Amino acid sequence: MESKPKGKLAGFFHFPQGDGLSTDEFIKGLWRENPVLVQVLGMCPTLAVTNSAINAMAMGLATLFVLVMSNILVSSLRNVIPKQVRIATYILIIATFVTVADYVIQAISLDVHKALGAFIPLIVVNCIILGRAEAFASKNGVWASFMDGLGMGVGFTYALLLLGFIREILGSGSLFGISLFADSFQDWVIMILPSGGFFALAGWLLLFNGLKLRKKQAQPEQTREEVLI
Amino acid sequence: MFKKTLHIGTSPHIIGGSSTDQIMRNVVFALLPVAAFAVYTFGLSALLLLITALASCLLTEYFLNRWIDKSSPLSDWSVTITGLLYGLTLPPHLPLWMVFVGGVIAVALGKFIFGGLGYNVFNPALVGRAFIQAAFPVAITTWMAPFLPDRFSHIPGSTLTLPFLKPVYDITSGATPLSLMKFEHHTTDTYNLLMGMTSGSTGETSALLILLGGLYLIARKMMNWRIPVALLGTVYLISTVLHWSNPDIYPGGLFMLFSGGLMLGAVFMATDMVASPITPLGATVYGIIIGIMIYVIRVWGGLPEGVMYAILFGNAVSPHIDNFIRPRVYGTGKQWSKS
C-alpha cells in the first residue's frame, strides 16, 4: 500500500514492489478481507437479491464490474481530484458505471433486471464500492487498484452465490432455474423470504468464523493479529 | 432453624428450596395428561410426532452441549419440556422430518445460540414452531380429524413422508374451530371445546386437561398465576364486550377462551420463566399485552390463530416491561425509578 505523491501522473503505471503482480491485493478480497463474509459490508444487496442463484450472480457480476471500473478511474484520477469534493466525485464515477451496468443487464435479460429491481441503481450507494474507492483506489496505483477491485468483486460475487445456492436449492428445489429434484420436493418457503437470507448468511458466517478461529488457534502467537483482521 | 456455621454471601439470603430440575419435572408431569389425551385423540401419528419432537430436541441439546464441553445438559428437564411443548403445538400428522427440523431449530436457534437455559429471549418451542410455520405454511395448517376409527392401526401417509418430500394426505382432514369460525362463521359447541372433541394441534384440543395441569402447577407455586389469569381475562373481556356489541362478526368470550392454542399458550408457553417479566405487575402487563395481540391477530388478522406470534411478541417486549416496571428498592422514595 505505498503511495507516491511525486507528480500528477506519477504512479499511473506504477507496479508496486514485491511480486510485481499485486496478487496479494487480489487474494485478500477472496478470503482475508472478504467484503461480505469478513467485513460484513453491503448487506442490503446481500440479503435482498440472493433468493435465487441467477439473481445473486447478476448482482455479483454487476457489482464486480462497477467496482473494478470505478477503482481504475478513481485511482488514475486520484491526484487530480480535490480532497474537498472527493466523495461527490467518487459517487459520480460510480454512478456512471452503474448506469452502464443497468443498461447491459436490461439488454441481456429483462427478467433478471425486473427481479433485481431497485437494487441495480442502489449499487451506487453500495458501501463496498465507495469504501474501496476511498480506502484503496485513492491511495494506490492503477494496477494495484484494479487487482483490489477484482479481488473484492470476486469475493462479493462468490459470497452472494454461496447464499443464492443455499436459498434456491432449499427454497425452490432448483439451481439457476433448473429443477434439481422432481415435483415432489417440499419447498422451504422461509428460505425465499427475507428471513431466509438472514439464516443463510448467519450459517455461512458461522462456518467462516469457525474456520478462521481454527486457523488462528493453529498458528503461532506472532501472526495471530493478521488472521484476526 | 439456624445452622451453626455462619454463611457469608450476597443476597438472596432466603432460598425457596425448589430447584430448577424439580420445577421442570413438575411441568413435565403437568403436561403428561395433555400428551396422553393427544395420543388418544389422534392415535399413532401423534405418538410418533411427540417422540420425534422430544428426540430431536434432546439430541440437539445433547450434542451442542457436548460440543462446547458443558456437562449433563439433559438432567435439568428443561429441554424435555421444550420438546414436549413443541410437539404439542404441531398438527398431528405433520411429516416427521419437518418435526425433526423444527426441533433442531428450536433448541439450536431458540436456546443454544443465546447461551442455553436461562438466557433464551424467546420460548424455544415457539421458535421451532414459528420456523416450521414460515418454512412449510401448507403442511402446518392442514389438520387431521379427531377420533378416526383406524387411528391406532393406520399411520397417516403424511407422517412417514421421506425427508425433503411433499406430504401426501390419505386420511380425513379436519378443520379447527378457529378456522371454521374465521372462514365459515360456524361456532363450535363450548362443551366440545372444553373436552377436546375437536380438530386442532396435537395438544391444544382439551382445554380442561390443560387447565388442570396449570392448576396443579399454580397450587405447587411453580408458575406465575398472574400471566395466565391476565392473558385469559383480557381475551375474555375484549371478546365478550365486542360480542355483545355485534354478535354476527365477533365470536363469544367462551368460544375464544377454549378454542385453538389459547389455553396451551397461556398456561404453558407464556409462563416460560426465562422469557417472561419478573415483577408481579410486569407479569400482569405482559399477560394483557399477549391477550390483546391474540385477539387482534385472531379477529382482524389474516391468520385464524395468533397465539404463537402473540407470545413471541410478548417475549420480545418482556425485557422492556422489566425495565419500566421496577420494584421500589427498600428504603428509597416512592417515586418510580428512572432508568
Side-chain angles (χ1 to χ4, degrees), chain B residues 125-146:
Chain B
L126 287 179
V127 171
R129 192 191 194 274
F131 184 87
I132 297 295
Q133 170 103 49
F136 314 112
V138 177
I140 206 164
T141 47
T142 309
W143 309 97
M144 175 182 176

Side-chain angles (χ1 to χ4, degrees), chain A residues 170 181 183-191 193 195 199 206, chain B residues 97-98 101 109 130-131 134-137 139 164-167:
Chain A
L170 279 181
F181 315 101
D183 274 346
S184 60
F185 182 77
Q186 169 72 49
D187 298 341
W188 296 39
V189 182
I190 193 171
M191 296 313 281
L193 299 175
S195 46
F199 283 125
L206 187 71
Chain B
W97 72 268
M98 293 181 186
V101 168
L109 276 188
F131 184 87
F136 314 112
F164 298 103
L165 295 189
K166 268 181 198 156

Side-chain angles (χ1 to χ4, degrees), chain B:
Chain B
M1 286 294 282
F2 291 102
K3 284 181 184 170
K4 280 184 180 171
T5 47
L6 178 68
H7 290 287
I8 299 173
T10 53
S11 60
H13 300 293
I14 303 167
I15 299 161
S18 56
S19 59
T20 307
D21 57 317
Q22 200 183 341
I23 294 176
M24 297 292 175
R25 205 163 50 233
N26 276 289
V27 178
V28 174
F29 292 156
L31 275 172
L32 280 180
V34 181
F37 184 76
V39 172
Y40 175 66
T41 315
F42 297 107
L44 281 176
S45 57
L47 183 67
L48 288 173
L49 177 131
L50 287 176
I51 292 172
T52 314
L54 263 177
S56 62
C57 288
L58 289 169
L59 283 175
T60 314
E61 175 89 355
Y62 178 75
F63 282 111
L64 284 177
N65 280 293
R66 272 281 298 275
W67 182 45
I68 61 160
D69 300 324
K70 214 173 178 180
S71 59
S72 68
L74 305 181
S75 60
D76 63 15
W77 291 77
S78 65
V79 77
T80 316
I81 298 178
T82 301
L84 210 52
L85 274 180
Y86 163 67
L88 290 175
T89 59
L90 297 173
H93 59 347
L94 191 75
L96 293 181
W97 72 268
M98 293 181 186
V99 178
F100 196 88
V101 168
V104 173
I105 295 282
V107 174
L109 276 188
K111 190 174 170 191
F112 181 76
I113 288 260
F114 292 106
L117 180 66
Y119 298 96
N120 48 306
V121 181
F122 299 104
N123 186 330
L126 287 179
V127 171
R129 192 191 194 274
F131 184 87
I132 297 295
Q133 170 103 49
F136 314 112
V138 177
I140 206 164
T141 47
T142 309
W143 309 97
M144 175 182 176
F147 301 109
L148 289 174
D150 60 348
R151 64 186 185 276
F152 287 108
S153 56
H154 171 72
I155 300 173
S158 59
T159 294
L160 298 177
T161 313
L162 276 180
F164 298 103
L165 295 189
K166 268 181 198 156
V168 179
Y169 296 100
D170 58 353
I171 52 159
T172 321
S173 63
T176 62
L178 277 170
S179 52
L180 281 177
M181 182 72 222
K182 183 141 199 152
F183 302 120
E184 292 164 34
H185 283 281
H186 169 81
T187 315
T188 315
D189 190 35
T190 310
Y191 174 77
N192 286 346
L193 290 172
L194 189 66
M195 301 309 286
M197 302 297 157
T198 58
S199 180
S201 294
T202 311
E204 73 180 21
T205 51
S206 173
L208 189 66
L209 287 173
I210 298 167
L211 271 180
L212 287 178
L215 285 177
Y216 167 73
L217 287 177
I218 289 170
R220 299 211 54 180
K221 294 188 175 163
M222 288 173 173
M223 175 191 285
N224 192 344
W225 59 270
R226 290 177 183 85
I227 296 172
V229 168
L231 204 167
L232 297 173
T234 308
V235 172
Y236 183 74
L237 206 69
I238 302 178
S239 47
T240 309
V241 169
L242 284 173
H243 180 67
W244 175 73
S245 75
N246 189 348
D248 294 337
I249 303 174
Y250 303 111
L254 281 178
F255 172 79
M256 287 296 272
L257 270 194
F258 294 126
S259 61
L262 180 61
M263 276 297 159
L264 190 66
V267 174
F268 287 107
M269 310 238 186
T271 51
D272 184 310
M273 289 186 174
V274 185
S276 57
I278 306 162
T279 56
L281 181 60
T284 313
V285 172
Y286 168 80
I288 290 172
I289 288 176
I290 296 178
I292 293 172
M293 285 304 290
I294 289 174
Y295 194 83
V296 168
I297 297 175
R298 273 189 180 180
V299 176
W300 294 298
L303 296 166
E305 175 63 300
V307 172
M308 172 181 70
Y309 291 122
I311 294 177
L312 287 173
F313 177 80
N315 290 161
V317 296
S318 90
H320 305 292
I321 297 175
D322 270 339
N323 204 22
F324 283 120
I325 299 170
R326 293 184 184 178
R328 188 171 60 91
V329 176
Y330 184 72
T332 61
K334 279 191 176 178
Q335 286 151 341
W336 294 69
S337 61
K338 283 162 191 156
S339 52

Side-chain angles (χ1 to χ4, degrees), chain A:
Chain A
M1 282 208 194
E2 58 264 76
S3 67
K4 305 236 168 170
K6 279 174 199 160
K8 286 222 160 180
L9 285 177
F12 195 104
F13 295 108
H14 166 69
F15 284 72
Q17 307 298 311
D19 58 3
L21 287 169
S22 301
T23 36
D24 187 57
E25 309 295 359
F26 177 70
I27 297 208
K28 71 168 193 265
L30 298 186
W31 174 259
R32 203 175 66 235
E33 291 179 27
N34 187 295
V36 174
L37 299 168
V38 176
Q39 302 188 48
V40 202
L41 290 175
M43 284 299 103
C44 174
T46 305
L47 294 168
V49 300
T50 51
N51 50 10
S52 74
I54 200 93
N55 287 354
M57 196 171 74
M59 188 69 206
L61 290 180
T63 310
L64 171 71
F65 167 75
V66 176
L67 193 52
V68 168
M69 298 308 282
S70 67
N71 255 14
I72 292 175
L73 204 58
V74 166
S75 170
S76 45
L77 295 176
R78 69 185 187 279
N79 292 327
V80 253
I81 297 172
K83 276 275 175 251
Q84 293 83 353
V85 292
R86 66 185 194 284
I87 301 289
T89 318
Y90 299 158
I91 292 284
L92 200 63
I93 291 169
I94 296 165
T96 311
F97 291 114
V98 169
T99 312
V100 174
D102 189 15
Y103 283 121
V104 169
I105 294 175
Q106 217 165 341
I108 295 173
S109 167
L110 203 57
D111 287 339
V112 171
H113 188 267
K114 273 181 187 157
L116 293 181
F119 290 100
I120 302 174
L122 280 176
I123 298 176
V124 177
V125 287
N126 189 323
C127 50
I128 301 170
I129 300 175
L130 196 61
R132 290 334 283 175
E134 169 76 8
F136 195 90
S138 62
K139 294 169 188 157
N140 288 280
V142 174
W143 177 251
S145 301
F146 167 73
M147 291 305 265
D148 175 75
L150 197 64
M152 289 290 163
V154 173
F156 183 70
T157 309
Y158 93 74
L160 253 61
L161 272 175
L162 288 180
L163 261 81
F165 283 162
I166 294 289
R167 291 181 69 183
E168 193 179 350
I169 291 174
L170 279 181
S172 354
S174 62
L175 195 57
F176 290 108
I178 303 158
S179 178
L180 292 180
F181 315 101
D183 274 346
S184 60
F185 182 77
Q186 169 72 49
D187 298 341
W188 296 39
V189 182
I190 193 171
M191 296 313 281
I192 299 289
L193 299 175
S195 46
F198 285 97
F199 283 125
L201 179 69
W204 283 116
L205 283 179
L206 187 71
L207 181 72
F208 276 74
N209 278 329
L211 287 177
K212 260 195 324 188
L213 201 68
R214 180 171 290 183
K215 202 172 159 191
K216 181 192 118 185
Q217 282 162 349
Q219 284 198 348
E221 196 73 28
Q222 209 174 17
T223 48
R224 271 194 186 178
E225 278 179 21
E226 275 180 41
V227 182
L228 274 176
I229 291 171

